[in-house]
Amino acid sequence: MQGFGYLPRDLFLEIFLRLPVQSLTRFKCVCKSWYAFINNPNFISMHLNYNSNNNGFVLIKRCLLTCLGKKENMFSLVSRKDFSSVYIAVDLPLYKKEPYLQLLGHCDGIICLSNYRDDIVLCNPATKESMVLPKSCLPCFSSNTNLIPQTNAMGFGYDLKNQQYKVVRIVSYWEEFGDSLPLLSRVEVYTIGTDSWREIKNVKVPAHVQFSPCFETYFNGSFHWYAMDHNNNEVILSFNMGEEEFQVIPMPDFLSIHDNSICRSLLVWNGCLALIIYPGNGIEKSFQIRVMEKYGVKESWTRKLTIGPLAGVEMPLMFWKSDGEILMERIDGQTVSYNLITKEIKNLQVYGVPKSFQTVAYVNSLVSIGRGKSNA
């Protein structure tokens, strides 16, 4: 096998797999052979796999108050190994002007952000590559002028079947003086590499997405939202990125009737969906964890444990540290980590405006937002 200079190719590969994205990006300028090697789809996948297994982070998005009292979106990376954190400078069209910029998800180093109106941005913070998605393919008006369109839900994930990254958007049409449910909904999908939206024809959205803190989750090839079905039952609405179909996943029985005093968050824990139920208000809160041990099967919801009561903790954010700890937000806007075994709480040096926090498991990668894994 041909080497690179005095190094055998295998040794050269092992060295480059361990280098950060920033170094590899600079090394593309060394010579044509290094440029081709680093841009090779096989190397991009191998580098992604190495970082996924060895260099995992938590990406925290929150808002900070400026000296003028305005809110700005801020990102930080927290190491899974030693709790250290570092600020990420991300230059995006929506980054500073939108105080309530939403983090829709993360896949293989690519994050998706939106203002939940017209603008959606894909970004790879490691390579500094970003792109504003084109405008919706759905009409901003209906043939019925009494119907008002509104983006009801969005999600970002990976199509395991076709190996593509996709953004899904649900647009609902409401009667101007109608009831609490939309009259109809339409669905469109953006696939990285196509530079256009595509409407999914003849698809029925079986439930209406509603807000619940820290609930929207990509897992196992599907994106999940908190929703109410047409019988006013609480459900989990999922969209399979490969089949491009919706599925209604039932909640545990005791949550079949909506209770505004109780919050629900959906996380991933030990390879399963985990539902966390806790009070919306109060100085002390207990967090009940139920796990869906068999995906999509209502009877498999199992109560695992209850955390707390904890004083001053607002909400859960995500499981991490090999699922042995859970990141949480305090009522004063500080992140903490709760150890499920020792029951100890460790303060992290990441602060923000209360209730502005969003987190995802993150990995640095060379994956391109323009072409996905096929090329950088």
Side-chain angles (χ1 to χ4, degrees), residues 189-261:
V189 168
Y190 177 91
T191 302
I192 282 185
T194 63
D195 199 34
S196 63
W197 290 90
R198 167 177 51 86
E199 183 177 5
I200 304 177
K201 302 290 186 179
N202 302 318
V203 64
K204 181 180 179 181
V205 183
H208 178 62
V209 175
Q210 297 191 3
F211 172 77
S212 189
C214 197
F215 199 97
E216 298 178 356
T217 300
Y218 170 78
F219 170 71
N220 197 30
S222 296
F223 200 87
H224 303 79
W225 301 272
Y226 172 75
M228 303 288 287
D229 67 12
H230 298 300
N231 294 319
N232 209 34
N233 294 315
E234 294 183 74
V235 297
I236 299 171
L237 178 66
S238 74
F239 178 80
N240 186 288
M241 293 289 181
E243 302 299 331
E244 296 187 347
E245 295 177 346
F246 288 97
Q247 178 184 357
V248 171
I249 300 175
M251 293 278 203
D253 281 332
F254 75 98
L255 284 178
S256 59
I257 300 178
H258 187 67
D259 185 348
N260 288 323
S261 68

Side-chain angles (χ1 to χ4, degrees), residues 51-344:
N51 277 338
S52 298
N53 294 326
N54 298 280
N55 297 316
F57 294 91
V58 171
L59 179 70
I60 300 179
K61 197 284 296 183
R62 78 277 191 203
C63 290
L64 294 181
L65 286 177
T66 68
C67 58
L68 298 177
K70 296 182 178 181
K71 294 179 181 179
E72 285 189 352
N73 293 287
M74 304 293 284
F75 290 102
S76 293
L77 282 183
V78 178
S79 171
R80 292 174 179 265
K81 295 179 180 179
D82 58 7
F83 295 98
S84 62
S85 62
V86 59
Y87 161 74
I88 303 179
V90 181
D91 185 16
L92 295 177
L94 305 181
Y95 183 52
K96 290 188 175 181
K97 73 175 185 178
E98 292 286 348
Y100 300 108
L101 199 64
Q102 294 295 307
L103 178 60
L104 299 183
H106 161 268
C107 279
D108 298 341
I110 300 175
I111 60 174
C112 184
L113 303 146
S114 175
N115 58 7
Y116 257 86
R117 293 193 296 275
D118 300 319
D119 298 315
I120 302 176
V121 174
L122 294 176
C123 171
N124 183 326
T127 63
K128 309 300 182 184
E129 184 185 13
S130 65
M131 177 176 63
V132 178
L133 298 194
K135 296 298 181 182
S136 168
C137 73
L138 301 179
C140 59
F141 58 89
S142 170
S143 57
N144 185 340
T145 56
N146 292 325
L147 293 182
I148 302 173
Q150 183 180 20
T151 297
N152 177 233
M154 298 186 214
F156 174 63
Y158 189 64
D159 175 354
L160 299 172
K161 178 181 178 181
N162 301 296
Q163 298 185 351
Q164 297 173 317
Y165 300 95
K166 293 181 177 179
V167 180
V168 59
R169 172 160 46 193
I170 303 173
V171 177
S172 296
Y173 294 82
W174 307 74
E175 289 185 305
E176 186 174 2
F177 302 105
D179 55 22
S180 58
L181 292 177
L183 194 64
L184 63 94
S185 296
R186 300 171 71 175
V187 183
E188 62 181 350
V189 168
Y190 177 91
T191 302
I192 282 185
T194 63
D195 199 34
S196 63
W197 290 90
R198 167 177 51 86
E199 183 177 5
I200 304 177
K201 302 290 186 179
N202 302 318
V203 64
K204 181 180 179 181
V205 183
H208 178 62
V209 175
Q210 297 191 3
F211 172 77
S212 189
C214 197
F215 199 97
E216 298 178 356
T217 300
Y218 170 78
F219 170 71
N220 197 30
S222 296
F223 200 87
H224 303 79
W225 301 272
Y226 172 75
M228 303 288 287
D229 67 12
H230 298 300
N231 294 319
N232 209 34
N233 294 315
E234 294 183 74
V235 297
I236 299 171
L237 178 66
S238 74
F239 178 80
N240 186 288
M241 293 289 181
E243 302 299 331
E244 296 187 347
E245 295 177 346
F246 288 97
Q247 178 184 357
V248 171
I249 300 175
M251 293 278 203
D253 281 332
F254 75 98
L255 284 178
S256 59
I257 300 178
H258 187 67
D259 185 348
N260 288 323
S261 68
I262 298 176
C263 291
R264 306 115 172 101
S265 294
L266 190 69
L267 309 181
V268 177
W269 187 36
N270 293 324
C272 296
L273 288 179
L275 185 66
I276 303 183
I277 302 101
Y278 54 99
N281 299 306
I283 301 300
E284 285 192 340
K285 296 183 180 182
S286 294
F287 300 83
Q288 181 188 131
I289 302 177
R290 294 187 176 237
V291 171
M292 177 171 274
E293 296 183 331
K294 188 174 181 181
Y295 184 79
V297 179
K298 179 180 180 180
E299 291 74 21
S300 70
W301 282 113
T302 303
R303 182 170 177 172
K304 290 295 184 180
L305 73 155
T306 298
I307 298 173
L310 301 178
V313 175
E314 179 66 34
M315 69 179 71
L317 296 174
M318 67 174 289
F319 289 98
W320 74 320
K321 306 283 284 186
S322 300
D323 289 333
E325 299 193 21
I326 182 170
L327 276 180
M328 311 183 87
E329 177 189 341
R330 288 179 49 86
I331 59 176
D332 59 359
Q334 181 182 16
T335 49
V336 297
S337 184
Y338 177 87
N339 189 297
L340 300 177
I341 303 300
T342 65
K343 300 183 180 180
E344 294 178 342

